[in-house]
Amino acid sequence: MSKPYPLGANLQSANSLKPQGCNFAIYAPDCSSLQLILFNGKNQRSFTIENKYADIHHIFISDINTGQEYGFSSNIDGQDWLLLDPYAKAVSKAPYYEPPYSADKSWHFTKAVVTDNAFDWQGVPQPDVPLAKTIIFEMHTKGFSQLNPAITTAQPGSYLALSDPVNITLLKQQGITSIQLLPIAVCMHEPHLLKQQGVNYWGYSTLAFMAPDPRYATVDAVIELKTAIRELHRNGIEVILDVVFNHTAEGGQDGPIFNLKALDHRYYLRDENGLRNYTGCGNSLDLTHQASLNLVMDSLRYWVTEYHIDGFRFDLAATLGRNGDRFNQQAPFFHAVAQDPILKPTKLIAEPWDIGPDGYQLGYFPDGWNECNDKFRDTVRSFWRGDHGYLKDFATRIMGSRHFFSGGRWPHKLPVNYIAYHDGFTLQDLVSYNDKHNTANGENNRDGHGDNRSYNCGIEGDTDDVAVIAFREKQKRNLITTLLFSFGIPHILAADTVSHTQGGNNNAYCQDNEISWLNWQMDDVKKEFKDWLSKMIAARKQYMLPFIDAFTGDGRNDHRISWYCSNGDMMQQHDWEHQISLGLHLGLGTDGDELLLIFNQVDTPIDFKLPDVPPTWHRICDTSSMQLAPLNVNDHYQLAGRSMVILQRSGASTDDTI
């Protein structure tokens, strides 16, 4: 006997009371009748679904095994369409069609596949890294390892390659706690890309929320992804998924019909003109509609329970809190997540905006959500480019943007700070290009962000000029050191570890090639930066984390903080308007450990008088040099042009050594 819940295809093992088979259930209020279609090669069987409950069509078929391909057929405007199950746990092949999509082509499209949830996790626990200790490493599943010649245990560019010993070693050496994968739910490329024989490389065009994309598997995407996650967990590395619940691959009013459009028109936000487009992708999912909310919540729980996913980064998350034209901090979705015992322990990271009205919501997501802090990105880039008027804003960003994210709500509201993300310049391109170079995308360089706040350091693009290269490396150190020694959760782009360049392309969403694939050919300069980065991450963990704790929650007042001018005087209100250098003095308790961060924004050296707090300061880092050798410092420090220095001293209650 069939049941309406759970939705999707769910196997049932035989026992004395129940036969072996599979229960199929699909929510389809807009379909008066549906047929279940089972495929076996070129052969197919059809079953009329007669059982209905609360708009759910359901049927039980005996003797169904893992690997069975299926779909649902519905007559739409006199044509029989094959619809993909929105609750598909796997698909038969990477989806593809030649535009335009049609009823006939739907029968040759990818099919849903019945799966078995059984997997041997071997008792490996999830790492459960505290937020304050988290170092996020954003990567593309394929692009991260596709060109790495050292991969030996798996196909480069695959799920399994993520957990190849070479990659595990790299992540651990770099001090990474959590990898954030660009979307891996099965993606369908937009029609304009298909017409160009292109692809949505980043994966931000979801076809089925619960099915891993077969593009990154050799045989079985489900098993191979779970295996990679298990091995990453075994080595203490979390896995965060970038998820796209703000829109689907069905696009706008004239877009293809894959499933939701035919099953229930209320899945999407609409107005008198049709589908609302708050995402720039043609449609916007309406999470005030119960079926939409159920689909998203069921998908999130599935990834956590069946794949042991540690967290999610939500693309254009403002859409998830929309009630029409307005964003609602008390939206049904946020309440649903907050009360869910499966999702409560996970990391939840919001991209806190979309392109619709009331779309920019930085700082307004509920407790339990961390947010991508684009204010940090823009301010830090502008400051180190040498733009005037950013000193006060710069100070605010390195202190955790507390006007958006109060320290009393840390660590659960620590901002996710970043310099580079997948959408935009890599770190290397940020210091190598003044302008975007997106011609390869086929849109006449009109696509991509125009406000990059980049600086080519004197020459546009690649160069052999030793002085320019040295300046670029110093700028990279300035940007990353600021990121690691600011209050927040650091987000690092995987490409930046190997100083990868995209040739100035700041919107490589369609570049499934060497533009996006990380270049693992390392010269001495790249190797030095990679080694320096790992040491700086270790320095953050050793020296910065105690200060984040001291500025957090109820104990956040158990610290000292002072701002200094280069002459040693305390910063006054008028100083914030014209100073070109800045000193930040942090202390724990009344006489505990201290940090001193000093910044020089201009190209001329500055003699910086240090605070009169004996004993001797010890140097952690000077970005004017790749070397991290310690140095004892007394009352002055000669700060090189366009550089920053971090000094440390141990307090009275601790050993005065490094």
Side-chain angles (χ1 to χ4, degrees), residues 176 191 338 398 652:
I176 302 303
I398 62 179

Side-chain angles (χ1 to χ4, degrees), residues 399 551 559-565 568-571 576 582-587 595-597 611 613:
M399 289 304 300
F551 280 74
H559 61 255
R560 291 160 285 142
I561 177 171
S562 301
W563 299 93
Y564 287 94
C565 301
D569 292 342
M570 298 279 289
M571 290 281 286
W576 292 99
L582 177 71
L584 169 59
H585 183 199
L586 302 172
L595 279 180
L596 180 62
L597 284 66
V613 283

Side-chain angles (χ1 to χ4, degrees), residues 239-288:
V239 179
I240 297 171
L241 292 189
D242 195 331
V243 288
V244 186
F245 293 121
N246 56 76
H247 75 282
T248 75
E250 292 188 305
Q253 204 70 30
D254 298 325
I257 298 173
F258 297 127
N259 45 27
L260 301 188
K261 282 182 177 178
L263 297 172
D264 180 4
H265 67 280
R266 295 169 296 176
Y267 272 116
Y268 298 114
L269 285 165
R270 293 176 179 271
D271 57 24
E272 62 277 4
N273 297 315
L275 297 177
R276 295 188 182 185
N277 183 16
Y278 296 145
T279 63
C281 301
N283 64 60
S284 304
L285 213 61
D286 183 3
L287 266 65
T288 66

